[in-house]
Amino acid sequence: MAKLGYPFTLGVASGEALPDGVILWTRLAPEPLHPARPGGMPAQAVTVRWEVADDESFARVVRSGTVTAQPDWAHSVHVRLSGLRPAADYFYRFSVDDHVSPAGRTRTAPAPESTAPVRFAFVSCQRYEHGYFTALRHLADERPDVVVHLGDYIYEYGKPKNPGPGRYVRPLESEAECRTLGAYRDRYARYRMDADLQAAHAAAPWVALPDDHEVRDNWSGALPGDGTSPAAFAKRKAAAYKAYYEHMPLRVRPSGAALQNYRWRPYGRVADFMMVDTRQYRDGADMLGQEQERWLTARLTGSTARWKVLAQAVFFARRAFPADPPSADAWDGFPASRERVLAHAPDGLVVISGDVHNNWACDLRADWEDPASRALGVEFVGTAVTSMPGVTDASAILARNPHIPFFDGHRGYVSCTAGMDGFRADYRGVAFVDRPGAPISTVASFEVEANRLRRVDL
Ligand SMILES: [Fe+2]
């Protein structure tokens, strides 16, 4: 084999932290957008070395080995580490020939009995064309214990014919919407060449859920929503999920058009993260599908953690619009499913959501209209990293929904601290995304008190 060019152009990542292990990821791509060969790689297997150290300078390497990058998987690698210490920072890097990757920092989950606070951030909706991922650079600087991604990691859209003013600040190479494995791979590669996105992956382990745009806008269950047949859509979805897996530090591979996204990630006695798939199993009025709903109900009622963090993509609380019908692409389109979930709401329920490209905070309660009705938990809806637009004037929506006390129009992410004695969410907003270098600030903060929101004076 001819000597490779520098292959770590897409950075490194880790994810799916457990108390004793994580997944380490990289993908070899000397020419990430090569028109003929994925990543500009030869069609043959390549051996990749990996090292894990206790310290940032790799003076104390605690684990090392090799893994084979296969052309069938776009030369991505997923190293499954176990036997690590809980709640510990580790540093990792890869090498091929004499090329060495940047180092990443990861962190294992705490031991089951741990009561130490958990710091996490959640993000969603990073449309490349819409702006710079500056928020992700600030998120990286916070070095949280874990980053939760709630979907729309990529957008499948092609370059629009009339992009309109102000919104298309970073043009894509491709005019066409992603439909094939090659196109999805190129889209992930384009995103992963971004230094801010690489920094966020290198700073902390991620646990990620895809929403619709990893495949196609507003797809639902078996229905593509674009008039193509379910069989053609299944083929496209298989390509999309394969490319997603090839670029994400996941524990499980997709199986054809199916990807097991719902899963449970415990963080000591403090927080259970319940990752819920609100896209693949929709069927008529059913949001989750019977099997996933049974699983979720068992987790909600069985969890003994202080906080039950229900991580999912779309707006959960009622959000009545004054004139328009309710959104069919949120839980408002599936009210019976929502009622069944809320019927099992445990003490300490915190729903986290994305999708709508604005910040919101909601009280979940037995009667949306009645502040005195039983408090069932809270929902923090996080804004987009870059994607636009969301709602621009929320005043009529806020007036119509007394359980929604907060709206904000910044781009950014949400930074949270969960502890045995409290839960705090800080909405972090960047000043702009149409050029690099935006400063960040906390635009609002909330605590959870007796399953209700309490705004913190800043
Ligand atoms: Fe989005």
Side-chain angles (χ1 to χ4, degrees):
M1 190 177 82
K3 198 169 174 307
L4 286 182
Y6 180 73
F8 300 109
T9 56
L10 307 180
V12 300
S14 72
E16 304 288 329
L18 300 176
D20 72 337
V22 293
I23 304 293
L24 305 180
W25 173 95
T26 193
R27 180 188 161 202
L28 308 180
E31 296 170 75
L33 300 174
H34 191 283
R37 288 177 282 117
M41 287 292 289
Q44 63 193 80
V46 175
T47 301
V48 180
R49 288 186 300 278
W50 54 267
E51 289 177 290
V52 175
D54 271 338
D55 63 315
E56 225 155 336
S57 59
F58 289 83
R60 296 187 309 276
V61 172
V62 295
R63 207 66 70 76
S64 62
T66 60
V67 59
T68 306
Q70 300 285 359
D72 279 357
W73 294 93
H75 292 95
S76 63
V77 299
H78 295 75
V79 178
R80 184 180 286 251
L81 286 181
S82 60
L84 303 180
R85 288 173 289 117
D89 280 3
Y90 289 95
F91 301 86
Y92 61 94
R93 65 187 176 192
F94 300 90
S95 56
V96 171
D97 301 333
D98 49 6
H99 303 299
V100 182
S101 78
R105 171 258 185 188
T106 191
R107 186 173 177 81
T108 49
E113 66 277 12
S114 171
T115 56
V118 176
R119 290 169 51 247
F120 71 96
F122 67 94
V123 290
S124 62
C125 298
Q126 45 197 39
R127 190 159 172 187
Y128 182 89
E129 314 93 284
H130 281 186
Y132 290 85
F133 296 158
T134 316
L136 294 175
R137 172 72 62 175
H138 291 293
L139 187 163
D141 291 343
E142 293 192 22
R143 277 202 174 186
D145 297 337
V146 57
V147 173
V148 182
H149 200 288
L150 297 176
D152 293 357
Y153 184 97
I154 59 155
Y155 283 71
E156 83 289 8
Y157 295 128
K159 192 163 37 178
K161 295 214 162 48
N162 300 301
R167 259 187 218 151
Y168 289 84
V169 298
R170 293 203 291 178
L172 293 168
E173 287 79 5
S174 170
E175 307 263 338
E177 184 173 325
C178 299
R179 295 173 186 280
T180 62
L181 178 59
Y184 285 113
R185 278 175 171 164
D186 281 355
R187 190 60 54 90
Y188 281 98
R190 164 41 68 205
Y191 276 56
R192 272 299 182 81
M193 290 162 74
D194 182 276
D196 295 332
L197 180 54
Q198 288 191 15
H201 276 293
W206 286 35
V207 56
L209 284 170
D211 189 24
D212 56 334
H213 286 290
E214 283 83 352
V215 183
R216 185 195 178 269
D217 184 30
N218 280 0
W219 70 275
S220 189
L223 300 173
D226 64 354
T228 55
S229 71
F233 182 59
K235 204 170 157 214
R236 178 176 179 180
K237 192 160 156 259
Y241 277 166
K242 188 170 197 296
Y244 181 71
Y245 172 81
E246 288 170 350
H247 294 85
M248 206 60 82
L250 300 183
R251 277 190 186 272
V252 294
R253 281 182 178 178
S255 165
L259 179 60
Q260 172 74 39
N261 290 312
Y262 69 84
R263 58 203 191 275
W264 171 57
R265 293 284 171 258
Y267 271 68
R269 285 172 56 194
V270 175
D272 279 344
F273 291 90
M274 297 156 199
M275 310 298 293
V276 168
D277 187 327
T278 52
R279 199 54 67 179
Q280 276 188 97
Y281 311 110
R282 291 185 190 184
D283 185 11
D286 186 354
M287 177 61 115
L288 298 176
Q290 282 185 22
E291 198 179 312
Q292 179 177 218
E293 187 175 317
R294 266 199 301 275
W295 168 85
L296 177 61
T297 303
R299 286 258 62 94
L300 287 172
T301 52
S303 168
T304 54
R306 175 68 189 87
W307 303 102
K308 292 83 175 174
V309 181
L310 200 172
Q312 52 89 51
V314 295
F315 211 104
F316 182 78
R318 189 194 72 168
R319 189 170 58 143
F321 291 81
D324 306 320
S327 170
D329 200 51
W331 286 82
D332 269 339
F334 303 80
S337 290
R338 180 170 57 202
E339 284 309 309
R340 291 197 300 274
V341 172
L342 286 175
H344 297 97
D347 179 48
L349 175 65
V350 173
V351 179
I352 59 174
S353 325
D355 180 54
V356 290
H357 308 173
N358 280 134
N359 291 309
W360 304 79
C362 313
D363 273 311
L364 308 175
R365 55 198 187 205
D367 180 346
W368 301 115
E369 303 285 344
D370 180 6
S373 67
R374 196 159 67 90
L376 302 176
V378 302
E379 178 181 13
F380 297 112
V381 183
T383 188
V385 173
T386 52
S387 311
M388 286 177 268
V391 170
T392 45
D393 179 3
S395 51
I397 297 174
L398 293 175
R400 179 73 187 79
N401 296 278
H403 60 288
I404 307 181
F406 173 67
F407 164 84
D408 170 79
H410 283 84
R411 311 295 90 183
Y413 60 93
V414 184
S415 196
C416 301
T417 304
M420 293 306 284
D421 54 0
F423 189 105
R424 181 182 172 116
D426 295 305
Y427 288 87
R428 307 278 286 154
V430 286
F432 49 83
V433 296
D434 60 350
R435 55 199 189 282
I440 193 149
S441 61
T442 299
V443 297
S445 297
F446 287 87
E447 289 179 345
V448 184
E449 211 170 79
N451 296 314
R452 286 185 167 85
L453 296 169
R454 192 179 71 75
R455 184 138 183 187
V456 179
D457 293 329
L458 294 176

